[in-house]
Amino acid sequence: MASRYAFSIDLDRCIGCQACVVACRTGNEVASGDAYITVSEEIRRKDNGFWGSFAHKRCFHCTEAPCVEVCPTGTLTKVNGLTAVDMAKCSACGYCTQACPFHIPHVVDNHVSKCVGCLDQVQAGEEPWCARTCPSNAIRFGEREVILAEAKAKVAKLRERYPNAQVYGETQLGGLGLLMVLLEAPGVYGLPEAPQSSATIQTWKTLVKPASAGLTALAAGVMGLAFVFARRQHAKEHAEVHTAAPVEAAVVETPAQTEENHD
Amino acid sequence: MTDVKPGMVQRYKLAQRVVHWLGVGSFLILLLSGLALLVPQLAFLAAGGLSRVFHRIAAFGFMLMPIVYVAIVPHDALELLKESFTYTLKDLKWFKHMPAYVLGSTKGLPPAGRINPGQKIHHAMTFVMFVTVAGSGLALWFGQSALGPEGLAIVLSVHDLSMLGLTVLMIGHMYFTFLYGALPAMTTGFVTEDYARMEHAEWYESLSPQTVAMTESDDQTAA
Ligand code: HEM
Ligand code: SF4
Ligand code: SF4
Ligand code: SF4
């Protein structure tokens, strides 16, 4: 296996045929009504006119993936540059749906739904279903360096016709695992120029969450130790009080032989 | 008629005890199912949405607790709320003795009312954190799709810190209960007169002789 995989999608080649969508659904046995990826035709406003393009909505396999950061169950992890999904672990908490800057994951039938990178196929030496099926070779998959070089070469050629052509995802979020060959600026496709992991999420993840769990355990430990000491102290005092001044009520033996009470 | 309980006074009515244990049960389920998302070693409890279902059922019971309390004993609920947020100079004296009290000593402890100042603070903080835990929990439950990354992190932080606070309070609460052997107050509802005189002197004084006599022989009114 390669160390760091990546996909690329060349929007100049995509013909919007939906073959990848169908291949992904069939290959991964995705429940009907659900899909890991979508391809839609979008009419966008450009200069003073209109302009159509295909929009691929699918996981970018971010290197520093916010979804992996928030996932509390270990369902989402990074494996060889891809954001892998271990469906059986998912709690359907939905944190990933809010953390992803691209609004990719969704929760369906009590588990997360997003591109799984076809890791089973890749580990078996095959290409992912979508890349394997694309009839116009718009979806590529392989070693990230190779895929990136290929995408850059394509952009260099495209620049003659499309001066704003560029590779999207070389550096964002530590480098995306899905590189998009765009004909126009990212904004035209509704893609954020600089997607970011939220600083508040970092604070929660690295500070609040471990502190909450840690301090709870610490408090339990400290109080457990103090209890042993306090209980002895109390027994001593109680014995003193009752030998010094036996109260009349102490004569009455009750099943609830409460020495002193506290609610 | 229930057993006569010589030398005992009633501290909690049946309704109050039922509400208390409803709280205990739902809190423990909430804690365990919540920790499934906080402690990686417990993540297996969350697989397939299991802890999620339990967390929601228990949350329902937990939030029902104050509603039931107000519905069946509105007077007691109001009194508890008022007492928890009323502090006097006398309480300050009590707090001075608190460290020794924590370590098992009641020597020189100023006389306390029905609820001692430590319990008042405990209740007050519980009220506040009940609101923050339920508020953030409801936001996660029903408003998640509107949170976005910032909102999610803030709401989770509030929820986590409320969990920390409430759990520390609960451990402290159990600490005093078992240190001073106070469990019967919440099981049978009765405490010894001996105890009442010693630890809640002012409360004991305020009980009319009839009340003491009556509760000694009449648990049914409570039920
Ligand atoms: C009062 C009503 C409560 C409601 C409505 C509520 C609701 C929620 C919801 C919706 C979640 C998100 C995870 C999921 O969907 O499974 C959650 C997480 C959690 N809850 Fe609650 N909860 C409540 C009370 C509590 C209490 C009393 C505790 C513990 C003492 C607690 C501890 C936790 C913890 C530790 C998490 C995980 C948070 C994280 O991932 O950092 N919850 N709760
Ligand atoms: S890599 Fe696999 S799971 Fe991801 S879009 Fe392609 S076919 Fe679907
Ligand atoms: S695009 Fe979204 S779902 Fe995919 S790795 Fe990045 S954050 Fe996760
Ligand atoms: S919904 Fe599943 S994959 Fe997403 S953060 Fe929660 S446990 Fe992880």
Side-chain angles (χ1 to χ4, degrees):
Chain A
M1 275 183 79
S3 53
R4 194 180 179 196
Y5 287 113
F7 293 87
S8 70
I9 295 182
D10 183 346
L11 290 183
D12 183 47
R13 297 196 77 112
C14 176
I15 55 172
C17 68
Q18 308 283 337
C20 56
V21 177
V22 175
C24 172
R25 268 226 299 268
T26 318
N28 290 303
E29 293 171 10
V30 180
S32 64
D34 184 17
Y36 295 165
I37 55 174
T38 61
V39 176
S40 55
E41 190 174 359
E42 291 198 9
I43 308 296
R44 305 179 193 278
R45 199 177 273 281
K46 197 195 141 206
D47 300 331
N48 289 325
F50 292 97
W51 169 75
S53 81
F54 296 108
H56 289 244
K57 198 159 166 44
R58 54 186 285 168
C59 174
F60 279 94
H61 297 278
C62 322
T63 298
E64 289 151 17
C67 64
V68 174
E69 261 157 32
V70 296
C71 179
T73 57
T75 302
L76 303 175
T77 50
K78 291 305 291 184
V79 177
N80 294 112
L82 302 179
T83 303
V85 183
D86 187 347
M87 239 28 131
K89 286 187 179 165
C90 179
S91 72
C93 70
Y95 298 175
C96 55
T97 66
Q98 300 305 298
C100 172
F102 304 101
H103 311 291
I104 299 298
H106 42 282
V107 172
V108 181
D109 282 344
N110 264 329
H111 62 74
V112 69
S113 168
K114 79 158 198 74
C115 162
V116 297
C118 285
L119 268 168
D120 56 338
Q121 298 297 310
V122 175
Q123 273 154 4
E126 300 282 348
E127 286 211 315
W129 293 106
C130 55
R132 212 193 294 182
T133 312
C134 179
S136 66
N137 226 4
I139 305 178
R140 307 270 296 140
F141 178 83
E143 186 78 51
R144 188 171 191 270
E145 275 171 34
V146 177
I147 296 289
L148 179 61
E150 202 182 83
K152 279 182 167 167
K154 177 65 193 268
V155 162
K157 263 195 258 168
L158 281 173
R159 284 259 162 96
E160 293 163 21
R161 282 182 294 151
Y162 303 95
N164 295 328
Q166 56 184 280
V167 178
Y168 181 79
E170 186 178 354
T171 56
Q172 287 92 336
L173 292 162
L176 303 182
L178 164 59
L179 302 158
M180 287 269 199
V181 173
L182 306 180
L183 307 183
E184 298 294 341
V188 176
Y189 297 90
L191 292 169
E193 292 273 357
Q196 248 153 14
S197 175
S198 135
T200 324
I201 284 199
Q202 297 296 331
T203 311
W204 166 71
K205 165 88 180 176
T206 57
L207 202 72
V208 181
K209 194 176 158 174
S212 301
L215 291 177
T216 301
L218 184 71
V222 169
M223 285 196 243
L225 283 178
F227 185 83
V228 177
F229 173 83
R231 187 70 194 165
R232 259 193 226 135
Q233 173 69 23
H234 176 65
K236 214 171 76 192
E237 238 178 58
H238 191 253
E240 277 169 26
V241 168
H242 276 258
T243 38
V247 244
E248 91 201 57
V251 178
V252 188
E253 285 298 327
T254 58
Q257 247 236 318
T258 334
E259 313 115 40
E260 283 155 49
N261 271 266
H262 193 288
D263 82 326
Chain B
M1 275 289 111
T2 45
D3 301 332
V4 174
K5 291 183 196 280
M8 308 282 280
V9 282
Q10 193 176 35
R11 185 130 170 94
Y12 291 107
K13 296 176 197 165
L14 182 66
Q16 290 172 309
R17 283 176 277 147
V18 167
V19 171
H20 177 262
W21 291 108
L22 170 69
V24 173
S26 49
F27 184 85
L28 290 178
I29 297 172
L30 281 166
L31 182 60
L32 187 66
S33 55
L35 286 177
L37 296 183
L38 224 58
V39 182
Q41 288 79 5
L42 293 177
F44 69 93
L45 292 172
L50 185 71
S51 65
R52 189 181 140 87
V53 173
F54 278 98
H55 204 74
R56 279 158 173 71
I57 295 171
F60 186 76
F62 193 62
M63 290 185 290
L64 204 64
M65 177 179 62
I67 298 171
V68 171
Y69 201 35
V70 171
I72 57 185
V73 277
H75 177 75
D76 295 330
L78 200 74
E79 194 186 6
L80 182 66
L81 191 67
K82 222 173 71 190
E83 263 182 296
S84 306
F85 288 96
T86 317
Y87 294 90
T88 62
L89 262 170
K90 246 176 29 199
D91 296 340
L92 215 63
K93 271 213 298 235
W94 192 95
F95 282 122
K96 270 207 204 128
H97 285 269
M98 190 158 162
Y101 184 64
V102 169
L103 293 177
S105 169
T106 49
K107 269 186 201 152
L109 202 66
R114 192 179 73 85
I115 294 182
N116 74 38
Q119 292 169 319
K120 283 205 284 188
I121 288 238
H122 174 97
H123 290 149
M125 292 201 289
T126 306
F127 279 127
V128 171
M129 281 187 271
F130 181 94
V131 173
T132 57
V133 89
S136 53
L138 288 170
L140 283 170
W141 190 348
F142 297 107
Q144 195 193 56
S145 59
L147 289 175
E150 303 294 326
L152 179 74
I154 290 168
V155 169
L156 282 176
S157 296
V158 172
H159 207 67
D160 286 358
L161 293 172
S162 310
M163 183 262 340
L164 167 64
L166 285 170
T167 309
V168 169
L169 285 175
M170 181 202 65
I171 299 172
H173 181 61
M174 282 166 57
Y175 179 96
F176 285 114
T177 303
F178 290 108
L179 175 55
Y180 293 110
L183 197 60
M186 259 317 158
T187 52
T188 64
F190 282 83
V191 296
T192 59
E193 254 181 85
D194 189 10
Y195 152 80
R197 240 190 324 257
M198 276 163 59
E199 268 207 52
H200 295 272
E202 287 179 2
W203 170 59
Y204 183 73
E205 296 301 317
S206 74
L207 296 174
S208 62
Q210 294 98 305
T211 315
V212 177
M214 204 175 68
T215 52
E216 277 169 13
S217 60
D218 195 2
D219 197 14
Q220 291 298 42
T221 38

